[in-house]
Amino acid sequence: MGRDNGPRVRVPEQRGPERAAVEEAGLHFSLLGPVRVRQGDEPLPSGSPQQRALLTALLLRGGRTATAAELIDAIWGEDPPSQALAAVRTYASRLRKTLGPSTLASDSGGYAMRIGAEALDLTVAQDHAAEAEKARASGDRCRARTLLNEALALWDGEALASVPGPYAEYQRSRLEEWRLQLTETRLDLDLEVGCHAEAVSELTALTAAHPLRERLRELLMVALYRSGRQAEALAVYADTRRLLAEELGVDPRPELATLQQRILRADEELARPADEPAPAAAPLRPAQLPATVPDFTGRSSFVRELGNRLATAEGSVMAVSALAGIGGVGKTTLAVHVAHQARRYFPDGQLYVDLQGAGARVAEPETVLGAFLRALGTADSAIPDSLDERAALYRSTLDGRRILILLDNAHDAAQIRPLLPGTAGCAALVTSRVRMVDLAGAHLVDLDVMSPEEALRLFTRIVGEERINSERDAALDVVAACGFLPLAIRIAASRLAARRTWTVSVLAAKLADERRRLDELQAGDLAVKATFELGYGQLEPPQARAFRLLGLADGPDISLAAAAALLNLEVHAAEDLLEALVDTSLLESAAPGRYRYHDLVRLYARACAERDEENPEERESALSRLLDFYLATAAGVYALERPGDRAVVHLVTPDHPGLEFTDGHEAVDWLYSEANALLACAHQSASSGMLRRAVDLLCAAKDLAESGANSRQYETTGIALRDAARAADDPRSEARARASLSTVYLVSGRFALADEEAMHAMELARDSGDPIPACWAPNDRGIIAFYQGRHADGEKFLQEAIDNYRSDENLVGEASALCNLSRIHVDMGRTRSAVELAQQGTAIFDGMGLSLRTANGRFALGIALTRAGRSADALEQLAEALRVFQGNRQRLWEGSTHFRIAEAHLAAQGPALAAQHAEQALALRVIGGEWMRGNVLTTLGRALRHLGQIDRARACWHEALSIYEQTGAVEADEVRELLALAAAA
C-alpha cells in the first residue's frame, strides 16, 4: 500500500537571538491544546481570551515581528473595537510582565517573541514529524512510529482551545488537519509493521469521527483484510460509496476502488506492504540458535554435506535435512554448528526450538508456532487459536524471507510437518532419535558414533594436549570406554579437566569397570543410558542424590526454590549441587535460578532413582515436599490476592513451607511463571497418595483458569485429578476437581461441560458438606444459567451460593455471588435490585481492600447502571474496573470490560466510542468463548449501523449469527431480526 503524500501544515520554526536567556528562564508554551505558559513545573497566567489570542498570534509567527495592525486583525478581524490599539498595548504589557522583556520584545512598532525551538510544543511536534519522515525514508519504521507517537502525544485536546479571533480559528483548522495527517501516517506505519489487528479499533473510531475522509477508510479496509475480516473490509467500501453518493454526489477515489478489487481477488500481495517483500510483521530478525561449542571436532563430511544443501536453499522449494541417531551421538551439536556456519545464507534470521520428542509430554506444534510467530514480530492478538490457522499464518509470514529453522529433538514427522516453511529461500534442520523416512522430500542423515581418531581429538581439545601426549594409550582406553559417543567423551573429559590432580590413567581405570558400561551399543534408551552412566558414576554422593531426585519432577523445568524444597536443602546448598550438575552437562541452566534436564537425561535420572535409591520412600517424600512447596506458595498467593476469602482455610495444610510474598504483583508473577511446573506437579500426583493435596493445588491456582492463561494444561490436570479421585472413591477430592473444571469450561464458553461438572460437584458437596464446591459450584451454575437465558434457575443457584458463602462466613465469596445475581436481575428487567445487589457486593470488596475483586464488583455494577439508563455512572465504574484488570494481567476480564464499556457508550448515544471499545474487546478476547464473541460482534454491528456503516454492520451480524447457530444460542433470533431490518432499510 502506498504512502499518503498529501499536503502538510508547515508552521515556521521558532528561533531568536536571545535563546540562551530564555532557556535559563525555563519558559514553555503550549498551543496544541489550551494555550498555556509555564516556568519549569509552575503554570503562569496567560490572561484573558483576547490576551491569549495575542500570545498565539506572536508564537505562530516564529520569532518574526507582528505589527499592531496585524495583531488587531488577528484578534478581531474586520470589526475591531474603537480602542483596539490601546487594548493590544495593554495585553502586550501584561504579557511582558509575566514573561520578561527578553521574551516579548518591542520591535519597529510591533512585537516579537524570542524563544528557543524547544520552548514551544508545536515546534517540538514538527521536529518529531520531520525526524519520523527521515526515519521512514531510511527504512527504520519502528523509530518513525515512535517519533510520530511522541508528536501526537503533545496534543491535549483541540489546538488553541477557546482562543477567539479569525486568525486562531484558521490556525486551529490547519493544526487539526495536520494532526489527522500525522495520525494517518502513523497508522500507515502500523500496518507496515504488522499491527493491523491493533489498528482496527482506532480506525473504527476515526472513520466515525471523519466519515468523509477516504484515506482513513482505505486504511481501515486494509487493517480488516489483514486481520482476516474480508467481509467487513468490503462492507467498509460499500458504506463509503453510499455515503459519498448521498453527501457529495461522487464516487470513491480510484485508490479505494482498486483496493476493493484487490480484496475481492484475495490479493496475497495485499497481506504485506507493497514496497517491501517481507511480511507485514514487525521487522524482527530472530537469532535463536544456541551457542556452538568452541571445541567442535570432526564430522567434516557431514558439515560439508549439510552446509552445501543449506547454501543452495534459495533455489529449492524447501530444503529439509533430518539428522537421526542415538542419544548422545551429537545430533544437536552438529546441527547447531552447521547452522551457525550457514547463517550468512539466511540474513532474515534463525529460529530454534527443543521439541522434547523423547519426553512424556512432547511440545505441541501449536505452542511452538505461537512462539515462532511472536519471534517473527506477530502481535499476540493476531495469532489464531487453531493449529491449521497458525501453520498457515506461519508459512505466510516466512514467505519472501530467508530464515533457517532448527527443530531439535523431534518426536516424529507428524510433530514437525506444521513447523516446516514450505517456501523457497527457507530451510529446516531437524534432529531426532528416529529416522524420518515418512518426511517427504527430506534429506536424511544417519549420524553414527565418532571414529577413534575424532574421539581422541575431541578428548584432547577438552583436556589439553600436555596431559594427553604423555598418556596417549590411557586416553585411547578412555574414549573406547565411552563407546566413541561425543556426549560421553565430553562428560569424561570435563571431569578430568576440572581435576588437575587426576591423571588420564586414573580416569581410564574408573571407566574400565564393565559394570559401568554396556558391552555393546544398542538402539534406544539403553544406549543413551550407557552414555549417561559414565557421568553419573563420577558424581559425588550428594550430587548423585540430587541428580536422581530432581529427575522425578514432571515439569519442563524447575526453579531453585522448588529444587531446594524437593531436595530438603537450604537454597544455597541446593544451588551448589545444581551448578555442579550443570558443570558436568547433566543439567542445563535454562535461565538464572531455573534448571532443566535434557529429556533423555531426565529418563536416565529416573532410572537411576528406581535402581539406586536405597529407600524407595525417599522418592515419594521428595515429590511430596515439592507438592507441599507448590501448594503452600500457591495458597499464599491466593490469600494475598483475596484477603478474607475462606476457601484457602479449607485447603490441606502442607507439612513443608513455601515462598512468602508481601507484594501482590510479585506473587502473581510467581504463579504465572511457575504455572507449567506447578500444574505438572499436580498432574503427576494424581496417581499417588498425594491426591488431596494435588486437588487443593488446583484450587489454589484457580487464577490460571479464570484468566485464560494455561487453560489447556489446567483442564488436562483437572480431568486427571477428577478421574483419579473417582477411581479412589474420594468424593471430597472429586467434588473440588469438578468445581475447578467447571471454572475452566465456563471461562472458555463450553457451558454444557461446565454445567455438568458443577452439577456433580454440588451433589457430592451436599453429601460431604465441603464448603469449597458447595460455594463454587452453584455460583458457576448460576453464571451458566444466566448465559443460557435460564434466569429462574440462575437466581436459584446463586441464592444457594450466597447462603453457602454466608454459612461459611466467606464475605468475599458472598460479594462475588451478589454481583453475579445482579447480572441476572439486569436481564430480568429488575434494574433497581440489580444495582443494589452490585452495590452490596462492591461495598464488601471495597471494605476489605480487595482491588481486583472490587474490579469484578464494579464490572457488575457498570452493567446494571447501563441497563438502568445511568450511562455516565456506568462508564465511571467500568473505567476503574478496566484499569485494575489491566494492572493485574487479567486479559479476558480486560476484553470483557471493553465490551461492557461499548454497551454503555451505545446506550449513551456514543456509537463511535462504542465501536472502538467493541473492537478492543475482539482483539483481547472475552470470557464466555465464542458465544460471547458473538455478543461483541452484535454490539459492534449496532454501533456501526448508527454510524451509517450499514454494510459493515451486516458483516458483523452475519458472523455473529454463524456463531450463534453453531452454539445453539437463543440470540440467533435477535440477530436475524437485525439483518431483516437492515435488508428492508
Side-chain angles (χ1 to χ4, degrees):
M1 185 176 58
R3 299 176 183 173
D4 182 5
N5 294 316
R8 294 171 182 254
V9 173
R10 296 293 184 186
V11 182
E13 293 187 0
Q14 307 298 295
R15 298 291 185 265
E18 301 182 24
R19 176 174 174 177
V22 174
E23 288 177 349
E24 289 178 6
L27 287 172
H28 295 276
F29 300 86
S30 301
L31 296 180
L32 301 178
V35 176
R36 299 190 183 102
V37 185
R38 60 184 172 85
Q39 187 165 32
D41 294 329
E42 294 296 323
L44 299 179
S46 56
S48 66
Q50 286 75 21
Q51 186 170 310
R52 291 197 299 274
L54 175 72
L55 177 60
T56 298
L58 292 172
L59 287 171
L60 287 175
R61 293 187 69 84
R64 298 189 302 274
T65 300
T67 66
E70 289 172 332
L71 292 172
I72 289 171
D73 184 63
I75 299 172
W76 291 286
E78 297 179 355
D79 189 24
S82 58
Q83 299 299 317
L85 179 59
V88 165
R89 291 171 176 166
T90 299
Y91 300 150
S93 175
R94 291 173 180 170
L95 284 172
R96 186 179 289 111
K97 289 180 181 178
T98 299
L99 307 177
S102 61
T103 301
L104 178 55
S106 299
D107 186 13
S108 303
Y111 303 94
M113 294 291 294
R114 308 298 189 194
I115 63 173
E118 68 286 347
L120 180 63
D121 61 353
L122 175 57
T123 311
V124 174
Q126 278 190 300
D127 289 344
H128 285 331
E131 289 299 316
E133 190 172 346
K134 293 177 184 177
R136 188 180 191 186
S138 67
D140 193 349
R141 294 175 177 82
C142 291
R143 174 164 170 75
R145 289 177 70 214
T146 299
L147 287 165
L148 287 174
N149 278 323
E150 290 176 0
L152 290 166
L154 293 171
W155 263 268
D156 183 18
E158 183 184 47
L160 312 180
S162 303
V163 175
Y167 180 76
E169 184 60 34
Y170 170 70
Q171 292 292 347
R172 192 159 33 241
S173 299
R174 288 212 305 163
L175 289 171
E176 179 58 24
E177 172 61 23
W178 186 49
R179 180 186 190 181
L180 280 173
Q181 289 179 1
L182 292 178
T183 302
E184 288 173 344
T185 302
R186 197 260 301 151
L187 285 164
D188 200 1
L189 285 165
D190 287 349
L191 300 186
E192 287 187 17
V193 299
C195 295
H196 36 269
E198 293 86 341
V200 170
S201 174
E202 185 176 358
L203 282 164
T204 296
L206 285 169
T207 54
H210 307 279
L212 297 177
R213 200 170 182 94
E214 292 180 70
R215 177 60 177 153
L216 289 174
R217 300 273 182 154
E218 181 182 351
L219 292 169
L220 177 57
M221 288 173 66
V222 174
L224 288 167
Y225 177 70
R226 291 182 184 169
S227 300
R229 298 161 69 176
Q230 182 179 9
E232 285 189 64
L234 293 170
V236 170
Y237 177 81
D239 286 329
T240 305
R241 183 176 58 182
R242 184 181 60 255
L243 180 67
L244 292 173
E246 292 174 353
E247 297 289 332
L248 304 177
V250 298
D251 290 328
R253 65 181 187 175
E255 294 88 346
L256 208 60
T258 301
L259 178 59
Q260 183 222 19
Q261 292 301 313
R262 294 180 71 186
I263 293 174
L264 285 169
R265 295 195 307 268
D267 189 341
E268 293 184 2
E269 290 299 315
L270 192 58
R272 60 175 182 258
D275 60 347
E276 59 175 295
L284 297 180
R285 181 180 176 275
Q288 297 184 342
L289 294 177
T292 187
V293 293
D295 47 27
F296 182 86
T297 303
R299 309 297 200 188
S300 56
S301 62
F302 291 113
V303 171
R304 187 165 52 252
E305 175 185 355
L306 293 168
N308 289 338
R309 288 191 60 83
L310 294 179
T312 58
E314 187 177 6
S316 61
V317 175
M318 175 176 59
V320 179
S321 297
L323 287 72
I326 61 173
V329 80
K331 301 181 295 296
T332 298
T333 301
L334 173 60
V336 169
H337 181 77
V338 170
H340 274 284
Q341 288 197 334
R343 285 181 64 179
R344 64 184 183 276
Y345 301 118
F346 302 93
D348 296 319
Q350 305 85 39
L351 296 169
Y352 171 85
V353 64
D354 180 359
L355 294 170
Q356 305 176 34
R361 293 183 178 86
V362 300
E364 296 289 344
E366 56 263 47
T367 302
V368 176
L369 286 170
F372 277 179
L373 287 168
R374 280 187 284 273
L376 292 166
T378 306
D380 280 345
S381 58
I383 297 176
D385 290 330
S386 75
L387 172 61
D388 290 343
E389 288 177 316
R390 287 188 177 192
L393 178 59
Y394 170 68
R395 292 190 294 269
S396 298
T397 305
L398 291 179
D399 187 29
R401 302 176 76 174
R402 296 172 61 189
I403 288 181
L404 174 62
I405 300 99
L406 177 46
L407 304 173
D408 193 18
N409 196 12
H411 180 68
D412 54 23
Q415 183 190 27
I416 70 167
R417 285 193 187 99
L419 310 178
L420 297 178
T423 54
C426 292
L429 270 176
V430 182
T431 71
S432 177
R433 293 169 59 203
V434 298
R435 298 186 78 243
M436 301 230 170
V437 294
D438 54 344
L439 189 60
H443 173 67
L444 302 181
V445 176
D446 289 322
L447 197 59
D448 202 351
V449 297
M450 284 181 152
S451 68
E453 294 77 17
E454 287 179 334
L456 182 60
R457 191 157 62 248
L458 173 61
F459 188 76
T460 302
R461 293 189 67 177
I462 297 172
V463 176
E465 288 187 3
E466 182 179 348
R467 298 176 74 181
I468 301 303
N469 288 341
S470 60
E471 296 185 275
R472 181 177 176 81
D473 290 340
L476 286 171
D477 290 340
V478 169
V479 297
C482 289
F484 307 113
L485 285 168
L487 182 58
I489 295 168
R490 183 172 298 281
I491 292 172
S494 298
R495 295 286 292 174
L496 183 59
R499 289 160 175 77
R500 304 302 300 177
T501 59
W502 282 13
T503 63
V504 180
S505 298
V506 170
L507 179 60
K510 287 179 174 290
L511 299 180
D513 188 349
E514 291 186 356
R515 293 172 300 176
R516 298 196 177 187
R517 56 183 175 85
L518 299 177
D519 291 335
E520 59 180 327
L521 293 173
Q522 298 181 17
D525 290 342
L526 285 179
V528 174
K529 190 174 182 180
T531 356
F532 293 132
E533 186 74 43
L534 299 171
Y536 174 69
Q538 297 177 40
L539 295 177
E540 302 295 336
Q543 296 172 352
R545 173 181 177 271
F547 175 75
R548 293 191 300 267
L549 295 183
L550 286 172
L552 298 173
D554 266 356
D557 62 3
I558 191 167
S559 67
L560 176 58
L566 182 147
L567 298 172
N568 200 23
L569 294 172
E570 296 294 332
V571 171
H572 64 84
E575 185 176 21
D576 290 343
L577 289 177
L578 269 59
E579 288 298 326
L581 294 175
V582 170
D583 290 341
T584 59
S585 301
L586 290 174
L587 193 65
E588 298 176 14
S589 179
R594 299 200 73 85
Y595 300 88
R596 68 184 177 204
Y597 281 104
H598 183 286
D599 44 19
L600 298 178
V601 181
R602 184 198 302 276
L603 294 177
Y604 174 73
R606 290 181 174 180
C608 291
E610 293 176 2
R611 181 193 67 190
D612 299 341
E613 202 64 54
E614 294 181 1
N615 183 3
E617 293 181 359
E618 173 63 4
R619 298 198 298 272
E620 184 175 343
S621 296
L623 291 175
S624 179
R625 289 191 296 270
L626 181 64
L627 179 59
D628 275 354
F629 168 79
Y630 284 132
L631 176 56
T633 310
V637 173
Y638 188 101
L640 188 62
E641 281 199 285
R642 302 171 174 84
D645 189 332
R646 286 183 51 79
V648 72
V649 175
H650 303 299
L651 302 178
V652 172
T653 302
D655 293 331
H656 297 86
L659 299 176
E660 295 182 1
F661 298 99
T662 56
D663 180 82
H665 290 292
E666 288 183 6
V668 172
D669 286 345
W670 178 89
L671 181 64
Y672 284 98
S673 65
E674 291 286 346
N676 291 327
L678 179 152
L679 291 172
C681 180
H683 194 151
Q684 184 178 14
S685 303
S687 58
S688 67
M690 300 179 281
L691 177 60
R692 288 202 166 193
R693 281 179 290 155
V695 170
D696 281 2
L697 176 56
L698 196 69
C699 294
K702 190 178 182 182
D703 267 357
L704 299 178
E706 288 187 345
S707 68
N710 302 90
S711 55
R712 183 172 180 179
Q713 189 181 1
Y714 190 98
E715 176 186 344
T716 303
T717 304
I719 291 172
L721 293 173
R722 177 202 64 193
D723 294 346
R726 188 166 51 194
D729 193 22
D730 184 348
R732 178 264 196 196
S733 296
E734 183 183 351
R736 292 190 179 191
R738 286 185 179 277
S740 299
L741 275 173
S742 172
T743 298
V744 77
Y745 289 142
L746 173 57
V747 168
S748 62
R750 291 174 287 174
F751 300 135
L753 287 172
D755 196 48
E756 181 181 358
E757 296 293 347
M759 177 186 67
H760 287 300
M762 285 177 64
E763 292 171 352
L764 291 166
R766 288 182 182 128
D767 293 337
S768 67
D770 185 358
I772 289 181
C775 295
W776 288 7
N779 187 63
D780 280 358
R781 294 198 76 188
I783 298 171
I784 295 163
F786 159 68
Y787 283 151
Q788 294 178 333
R790 298 183 289 111
H791 299 130
D793 289 343
E795 189 170 20
K796 179 186 70 175
F797 290 135
L798 286 171
Q799 191 57 57
E800 181 177 345
I802 291 169
D803 292 341
N804 291 344
Y805 277 124
R806 286 172 176 166
S807 297
D808 191 39
E809 299 181 352
N810 191 333
L811 285 175
V812 175
E814 177 189 345
S816 177
L818 286 169
C819 292
N820 292 331
L821 184 57
S822 166
R823 302 276 300 279
I824 289 182
H825 282 215
V826 166
D827 269 21
M828 296 174 72
R830 296 156 61 182
T831 54
R832 181 175 179 180
S833 60
V835 171
E836 291 174 352
L837 287 167
Q839 286 174 334
Q840 290 175 32
T842 305
I844 292 174
F845 288 137
D846 270 335
M848 302 182 74
L850 306 178
S851 62
L852 182 57
R853 298 305 145 192
T854 301
N856 293 125
R858 294 187 188 281
F859 178 83
L861 181 55
I863 295 172
L865 290 169
T866 299
R867 190 63 63 89
R870 297 165 57 185
S871 300
D873 294 336
L875 287 169
E876 181 181 349
Q877 296 294 328
L878 291 169
E880 178 59 23
L882 180 63
R883 183 189 65 79
V884 175
F885 289 139
Q886 289 171 334
N888 284 270
R889 300 195 302 188
Q890 296 289 318
R891 186 178 177 86
L892 293 179
W893 276 105
E894 184 182 342
S896 297
T897 307
H898 275 296
F899 168 49
R900 298 304 179 178
I901 291 175
E903 288 187 322
H905 278 301
L906 196 58
Q909 306 302 312
L913 287 171
Q916 182 178 0
H917 283 279
E919 286 287 0
Q920 288 177 283
L922 289 174
L924 290 165
R925 293 186 294 183
V926 292
I927 291 174
E930 282 295 287
W931 169 76
M932 187 59 79
R933 183 168 177 270
N935 292 347
V936 178
L937 286 165
T938 302
T939 296
L940 176 57
R942 291 180 185 275
L944 293 171
R945 180 187 61 186
H946 284 293
L947 293 170
Q949 300 180 29
I950 302 300
D951 289 280
R952 190 177 164 202
R954 287 196 195 99
C956 291
W957 290 335
H958 277 297
E959 187 176 355
L961 180 59
S962 175
I963 291 172
Y964 291 148
E965 288 176 343
Q966 291 174 14
T967 57
V970 296
E971 288 83 1
D973 290 337
E974 175 191 355
V975 176
R976 290 191 189 98
E977 291 180 10
L978 290 171
L979 287 168
L981 291 172

